């Protein structure tokens, strides 16, 4: 009996201990359930909540306070549908009741417990993840500066139109490029340039329909989809309206900026049946405008495509020529028109094509600048000068200056000009060189005069203002320029003896240049009458042009003097004209 009671006591104690452990574990589970970061709910078959943790309560309270109170009803309907079908579901839920929109990923799972059906739901806050995804999406598909769609968006939209076209649809694709944008960036600075692009995007996009798309596809290039269209005249009218709007000045950072845009347009289906074909043809039409008046628009035509193919061949040939160093130099003397001394020579680059024919720089210099090949080409010219220095000294004298042309774009590039100065110094005779730049190199905000010019002055390199009179020139601007030489553009010299207005301009430039200590050279002198006028009516001492000598190639340098002598003999045999002083050119050029 005693033994039996002892066993019962132990059994009772064990049972009580198990119940205590179970209760303790149950309390732990309740606390864990309550504090779970994810919102967990349990609903019965009627959709009523049986269990709910704190995270879920906070979520549902926020949903109840939201302006769109139907969010709770929507969730209830979803839960009942899941219970009815017995199929799990994972849904995104957006709660807009908090100061910032919150997004939850909710998993609904139907279960059967104790012969009853329940729905267990778990909601995880993915707001930060969605914000990050939105950021990635906008980075991939929207331009940060202008807020416009990127190239991918407009390409996708056009491809969609082409895919579902039933043969009746028409749309236009316009390629817009801001003219001289690099010059604007250099002059005003990149922040102003960025603000200008944003304002251009705003103006162009003002009257677009919901079905139209304006996209920024690169730095200063935009693509515009006009869809649908009825006719070409409709597009013409709208593009003309855009161009007119862009002509108004832009007021940015206390600066009044005038900017124009060149536009090329292609039409579907007339000008292509794929996005790439339409884009390329709009691009070709835009370049036709760029090479003309700029600030206008043009529709694509087949002739433009032929021009583009020809241009592509020239580009390819130019790249190969630079790679193979198929360039040479011709040298044209600068002459003292009163003593007949040669004071210097100008190195003029020429290109030998595949057949050995010499190409003038007008066929490739602008293209080399546009393609970013002009820097390498300038260094090739310098190398040609170094290679031919003995011939230069033999034929023109060891004291003559050697002039080289540098494009205004290069003159404003501090990095290039530093390297170029180092290359000139490495020749061993830097004081022989004169760099010819156009006047806009001084006028624009490239700091040529303040930062770049001192580098060359230190080496003893002289500076010449080339083509003076056709750019940004003014007498007041000339007074602020520090240069050694001014070359008056040939447009002022041609028939100078017949043009009183040009004579007045010539005298003004001559007087101011003399006061500032700059040498004046008359460019493009081609006949005796022009020479006689300069001698009789001006104090100009120096000239350059075909009258004295055409540019002479390296292999012909030894023949330069005989040719010049023949020219002088031919000229000396001419009779002196009345009413002008006779001019004798006895003797030869002094070296």
């Amino acid at each position: 009996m005693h033994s039996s009671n002892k066993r019962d006591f132990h059994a009772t104690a064990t049972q009580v201990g198990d119940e205590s452990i179970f209760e303790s574990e149950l309390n732990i589970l309740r606390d864990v359930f309550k504090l779970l970061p994810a919102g967990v709910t349990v609903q019965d078959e009627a959709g009523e909540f049986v269990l709910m943790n704190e995270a879920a309560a906070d979520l549902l309270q926020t949903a109840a306070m939201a302006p769109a109170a139907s969010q709770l009803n929507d969730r209830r309907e979803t839960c009942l549908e899941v219970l009815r079908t017995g199929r799990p579901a994972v849904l995104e839920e957006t709660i807009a009741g908090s100061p910032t929109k919150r997004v939850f990923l909710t998993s609904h799972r139907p279960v059967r417990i104790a012969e009853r059906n329940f729905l267990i739901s778990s909601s995880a806050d993915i707001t930060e993840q969605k914000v990050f995804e939105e950021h990635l999406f906008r980075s991939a598909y929207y331009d940060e500066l202008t807020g416009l769609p990127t190239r991918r968006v407009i390409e996708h939209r056009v491809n969609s139109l082409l895919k579902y076209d039933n043969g009746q649809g028409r749309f236009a694709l316009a390629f817009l490029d801001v003219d001289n944008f690099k010059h604007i960036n250099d002059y005003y600075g990149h922040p102003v340039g960025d603000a200008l692009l944003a304002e251009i995007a705003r103006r162009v996009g003002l009257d677009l329909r919901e079905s139209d798309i304006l996209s920024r596809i690169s730095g200063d290039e935009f693509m515009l989809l006009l869809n649908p269209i009825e006719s070409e005249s409709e597009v013409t009218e709208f593009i003309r309206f855009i161009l007119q709007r862009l002509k108004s000045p832009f007021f940015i950072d206390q600066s009044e900026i005038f900017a124009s845009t060149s536009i090329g347009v292609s039409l579907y289906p007339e000008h292509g049946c794929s996005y790439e074909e339409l884009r390329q043809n709009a691009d070709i039409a835009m370049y036709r405008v760029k090479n003309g008046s700029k600030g206008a628009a043009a529709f694509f035509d087949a002739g433009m495509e032929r021009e583009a193919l020809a241009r592509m061949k020239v580009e390819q040939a130019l790249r190969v020529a630079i790679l193979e160093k198929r360039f040479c130099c011709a040298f044209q003397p600068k002459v003292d028109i009163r003593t007949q001394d040669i004071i210097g020579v100008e190195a003029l680059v020429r290109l030998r094509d595949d057949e050995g024919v010499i190409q003038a720089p007008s066929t490739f210099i602008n293209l080399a600048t546009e393609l970013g090949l002009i820097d390498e080409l300038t260094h090739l010219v310098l190398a040609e000068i170094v290679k031919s220095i003995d011939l230069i000294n033999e034929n023109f004298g060891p004291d003559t200056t050697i002039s080289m042309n540098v494009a205004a774009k290069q003159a404003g590039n501090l990095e290039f000009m530093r390297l170029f100065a180092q290359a000139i110094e490495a020749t061993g005779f830097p004081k022989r060189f004169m760099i010819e730049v156009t006047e806009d190199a001084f006028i624009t905000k490239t700091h040529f005069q303040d930062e770049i010019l001192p580098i060359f002055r230190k080496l003893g390199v002289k500076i010449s203002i080339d083509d003076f009179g056709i750019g940004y020139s003014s007498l007041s601007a000339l007074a602020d320029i520090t240069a050694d030489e001014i070359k008056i553009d040939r447009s002022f010299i041609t028939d100078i003896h017949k043009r009183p207005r040009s004579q007045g301009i010539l005298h003004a430039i001559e007087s101011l240049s003399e006061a500032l200590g700059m040498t004046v050279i008359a460019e493009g002198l081609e006949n005796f009458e022009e020479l006689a006028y300069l001698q009789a009516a001006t104090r100009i001492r120096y000239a350059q042009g075909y009258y004295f000598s055409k540019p002479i190639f390296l292999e012909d340098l030894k023949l330069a003097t005989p040719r010049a002598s023949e020219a002088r003999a031919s000229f000396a045999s001419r009779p002196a004209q009345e009413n002008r002083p006779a001019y004798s050119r006895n003797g030869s050029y002094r070296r």
Side-chain angles (χ1 to χ4, degrees), residues 443-459:
I443 306 303
T444 58
K445 284 187 179 177
T446 56
H447 307 294
F448 172 79
Q449 181 149 307
D450 295 333
E451 299 180 35
I452 297 173
L453 192 56
I455 298 174
F456 289 88
R457 291 288 186 208
K458 188 176 180 180
L459 298 177

Side-chain angles (χ1 to χ4, degrees), residues 190-392:
H190 288 276
V192 172
D194 288 347
L196 175 63
L197 290 175
E199 182 60 19
I200 288 175
R202 188 191 68 81
R203 288 191 188 183
V204 174
L206 278 178
D207 295 300
L208 297 183
R209 303 164 295 183
E210 289 188 4
S211 57
D212 300 328
I213 296 178
L214 176 63
S215 168
R216 184 187 180 206
I217 61 174
S218 68
D220 61 340
E221 296 177 334
F222 299 85
M223 188 74 75
L224 174 61
L225 170 66
L226 298 175
N227 172 63
I229 61 169
E230 295 293 332
S231 64
E232 180 177 324
S233 60
E234 172 192 357
V235 179
T236 300
E237 182 179 355
F238 184 72
I239 294 297
R240 186 183 297 121
F241 180 72
I242 289 177
L243 289 172
Q244 190 63 34
R245 176 179 286 164
L246 293 176
K247 286 182 179 179
S248 299
F250 297 84
F251 296 94
I252 300 172
D253 194 23
Q254 300 181 341
S255 296
E256 184 180 21
I257 302 172
F258 290 87
S260 64
T261 300
S262 297
I263 304 177
V265 185
S266 61
L267 303 175
Y268 172 79
E270 294 94 320
H271 301 146
C273 295
S274 69
Y275 168 78
E276 189 55 35
E277 187 177 6
L278 290 165
R279 183 207 62 78
Q280 183 175 353
N281 288 341
D283 191 14
I284 290 172
M286 183 273 295
Y287 269 104
R288 164 69 73 85
V289 178
K290 280 282 190 184
N291 293 330
S293 59
K294 297 185 179 180
F299 284 82
F300 173 79
D301 63 50
M304 293 180 182
E305 187 173 18
R306 290 190 293 270
E307 289 179 8
L309 290 174
R311 173 190 167 89
M312 190 180 303
K313 291 181 180 179
V314 174
E315 287 184 13
Q316 183 67 15
L318 180 59
R319 293 182 186 277
V320 171
I322 289 179
L323 185 65
E324 297 179 352
K325 296 180 172 57
R326 286 198 272 110
F327 289 90
C328 58
C329 282
F331 295 88
Q332 188 174 38
K334 298 177 180 179
V335 179
D336 186 325
I337 63 175
R338 304 182 190 278
T339 68
Q340 302 178 36
D341 289 342
I342 296 178
I343 62 164
V345 291
E346 180 180 359
L348 301 169
V349 65
R350 298 290 187 265
L351 168 64
R352 296 184 188 274
D353 63 19
D354 294 336
E355 299 176 357
V357 178
I358 300 296
Q359 301 289 335
S362 59
T363 62
F364 61 84
I365 286 294
N366 289 338
L367 183 58
T369 303
E370 183 181 326
L371 297 176
L373 303 173
I374 191 67
D375 292 353
E376 189 172 355
L377 183 55
T378 302
H379 281 286
L380 288 177
V381 172
L382 180 60
E384 283 293 308
I385 291 172
V386 173
K387 186 170 67 174
S388 60
I389 190 62
D390 289 338
L391 283 173
I392 293 173

Side-chain angles (χ1 to χ4, degrees), residues 377-451:
L377 183 55
T378 302
H379 281 286
L380 288 177
V381 172
L382 180 60
E384 283 293 308
I385 291 172
V386 173
K387 186 170 67 174
S388 60
I389 190 62
D390 289 338
L391 283 173
I392 293 173
N393 291 342
E394 179 183 345
N395 287 271
F396 299 118
D399 299 323
T400 52
T401 60
I402 305 170
S403 297
M404 286 187 64
N405 289 281
V406 172
K409 179 180 179 180
Q410 294 174 289
N413 186 334
L414 182 59
E415 181 181 357
F416 166 76
M417 293 301 280
R418 278 177 176 163
L419 293 174
F420 186 49
Q422 293 172 8
I424 289 178
E425 184 179 18
T427 65
F429 46 92
K431 294 182 179 180
R432 294 279 301 277
F433 284 93
M434 178 175 288
I435 304 303
E436 295 192 7
V437 295
T438 53
E439 62 219 73
D440 51 342
F442 292 87
I443 306 303
T444 58
K445 284 187 179 177
T446 56
H447 307 294
F448 172 79
Q449 181 149 307
D450 295 333
E451 299 180 35

Side-chain angles (χ1 to χ4, degrees), residues 35-59:
L35 298 175
L36 281 174
V40 181
T41 62
V42 179
Q43 294 170 267
D44 60 18
E45 292 177 327
E48 299 298 328
F49 291 102
V50 177
L51 290 175
M52 180 186 306
N53 68 351
E54 291 183 359
D58 177 63
L59 168 61

Side-chain angles (χ1 to χ4, degrees), residues 131-145 148-153 216:
V131 170
F132 182 66
E133 288 178 359
E134 176 70 14
H135 174 72
L136 290 179
F137 176 82
R138 292 202 65 83
S139 297
Y141 296 104
Y142 287 87
D143 174 53
E144 182 178 0
L145 176 63
L148 295 176
T150 62
R151 182 197 303 264
R152 293 181 182 179
V153 177
R216 184 187 180 206

